[in-house]
Amino acid sequence: MSVADLQLDERGQLRHFLTVEGLKRELLESIMNAAESFASVTEQTVKKVPLLRGKTIVNLFFETSTRTRTTFELAAKRLSADVLNVNIATSATSKGESLLDTIRNIEAMHVDMFVVRHAQSGAAHFIARHVAPHISVINAGDGRHAHPTQAMLDVFTIRKHKADFSQLTVAIVGDILHSRVARSEIHALRILGAREIRVVAPRTLLPAGIETLGIKTFHSLDNGLEGADVVIMLRLQRERMNGAFIPSEHEYYACFGLTEARLDRAKPDAIVMHPGPINRGVEIDSKVADGHRSVILQQVTHGISIRMAIMSMAMRRDLGEKPA
Ligand code: CP
């Protein structure tokens, strides 16, 4: 079964959310439209809707996370689901239990959804292939492969500021080689019809053949930023590096760090994004990260409504209802 077939049910509705690759533009737009309506829930005095009352969602994070784990938890609670956060450090995984046995045991507790972050590329797909038919799996980041909900909250944030994707030049800057976020963003931006997608990085931090994804590559930050509408900065993913990819952080910042002066190469109304965590003085200057063109904290806020949209669309399938 292809990943596309695995993600959608026989009616073409979301079952799992594992990757953006191969999804249709209409589906991405319906996720963003649903997120738009969920954003108002977050602004109410009582920040809850009963859509997933009685459902149990399990957060299984085998890797560290601040933004993704907490916004998934908040999103689930705002949909009235029960949330179980499994602490992997104190779980039986440390006693040698396999991933599949962990899943099988939690599945036996009659849960409805797994939200999975794992250092191994393909971990969420593996789980999705083995769970019972009523269970949904959401990929919260797998190795270098994909971080689809991050890509969705990023394009949602872009849509809030820029009306028409077909007019946009988007520059993604930094450690593309190790970045699951970059891969998912490229797929999402292509599906939504962005005019030009650029990746900007030293040669050592660009995967071979990345041009086949239909993007332009730059090794000069100044050239890569010229006329950009959206600048997405990425951190150096040291936890995935198995050697020296840059001479030093000092030199990296000198060549690829985003400063106010460098940002002047982009369009005057360009927005600056970053999935976090940010490393100030390594890939971005504090004046830019905290400046008026930065939408970095808006991305975090949008993560809640995008995750509410994706979870509710995947879980309402079994109720025979249309997506929210
Ligand atoms: N953007 C992101 O995935 O951040 P966390 O690692 O804190 O979840």
Side-chain angles (χ1 to χ4, degrees), residues 1 30-31 49 55 60 73 90 95 102 119 127 133 147 150 153 168 182 190 199 210 214 223 243 262 272 295:
M1 189 190 281
S30 67
I31 290 170
V49 286
K55 299 284 186 184
L60 264 183
E73 182 173 351
T90 58
K95 296 179 190 164
T102 303
I127 294 169
H147 195 347
Q150 178 71 46
L153 73 89
L168 294 185
R190 285 205 67 195
V199 291
I210 185 127
N223 293 343
R262 284 220 158 102
V272 176
V295 297

Side-chain angles (χ1 to χ4, degrees), residues 61 64-69 117 140 147 150 180-181 275-277:
F61 278 61
T64 57
S65 167
T66 299
R67 283 144 288 270
T68 311
R69 202 199 60 73
R117 170 168 287 192
H147 195 347
Q150 178 71 46
R180 54 195 176 208
V181 174

Side-chain angles (χ1 to χ4, degrees), residues 128-196:
R129 286 182 197 282
H130 289 88
V131 290
H134 73 280
I135 295 181
S136 295
V137 178
I138 309 286
N139 184 2
D142 63 324
R144 299 182 187 188
H145 173 240
H147 195 347
T149 61
Q150 178 71 46
M152 285 310 304
L153 73 89
D154 290 344
V155 291
F156 183 63
T157 303
I158 294 172
R159 194 175 81 160
K160 289 267 187 196
H161 290 269
K162 310 284 175 190
D164 184 358
F165 281 94
S166 72
Q167 300 300 312
L168 294 185
T169 296
V170 181
I172 306 174
V173 183
D175 181 0
I176 311 295
L177 179 66
H178 300 100
S179 176
R180 54 195 176 208
V181 174
R183 273 174 196 71
S184 291
E185 283 170 343
I186 290 167
H187 287 302
L189 287 164
R190 285 205 67 195
I191 293 164
L192 292 167
R195 184 180 61 188
E196 187 170 310

Side-chain angles (χ1 to χ4, degrees), residues 196-207:
E196 187 170 310
I197 307 168
R198 303 173 179 172
V199 291
V200 187
R203 287 179 200 284
T204 51
L205 292 177
L206 272 182

Side-chain angles (χ1 to χ4, degrees), residues 17 56-62 68-69 71-73 76 83-86 103 112-118 124 127 135-141 149 307 311:
F17 196 63
T56 304
I57 296 175
V58 182
N59 273 334
L60 264 183
F61 278 61
F62 294 87
T68 311
R69 202 199 60 73
T71 53
F72 262 115
E73 182 173 351
V83 184
L84 187 64
N85 289 303
V86 178
I103 296 297
D112 301 287
M113 174 176 277
F114 287 108
V115 177
V116 182
R117 170 168 287 192
H118 204 286
I127 294 169
I135 295 181
S136 295
V137 178
I138 309 286
N139 184 2
T149 61
R307 287 170 175 133
M311 287 195 288

Side-chain angles (χ1 to χ4, degrees), residues 69-137:
R69 202 199 60 73
T70 50
T71 53
F72 262 115
E73 182 173 351
L74 270 181
K77 286 178 171 168
R78 287 180 186 176
L79 291 166
S80 304
D82 296 318
V83 184
L84 187 64
N85 289 303
V86 178
N87 185 345
I88 297 300
T90 58
S91 75
T93 304
S94 60
K95 296 179 190 164
E97 186 171 73
S98 73
L99 176 59
L100 201 49
D101 281 330
T102 303
I103 296 297
R104 290 265 184 265
N105 278 270
I106 299 175
E107 211 177 32
M109 301 170 200
H110 298 288
V111 303
D112 301 287
M113 174 176 277
F114 287 108
V115 177
V116 182
R117 170 168 287 192
H118 204 286
Q120 287 293 324
S121 297
H125 291 73
F126 174 78
I127 294 169
R129 286 182 197 282
H130 289 88
V131 290
H134 73 280
I135 295 181
S136 295
V137 178

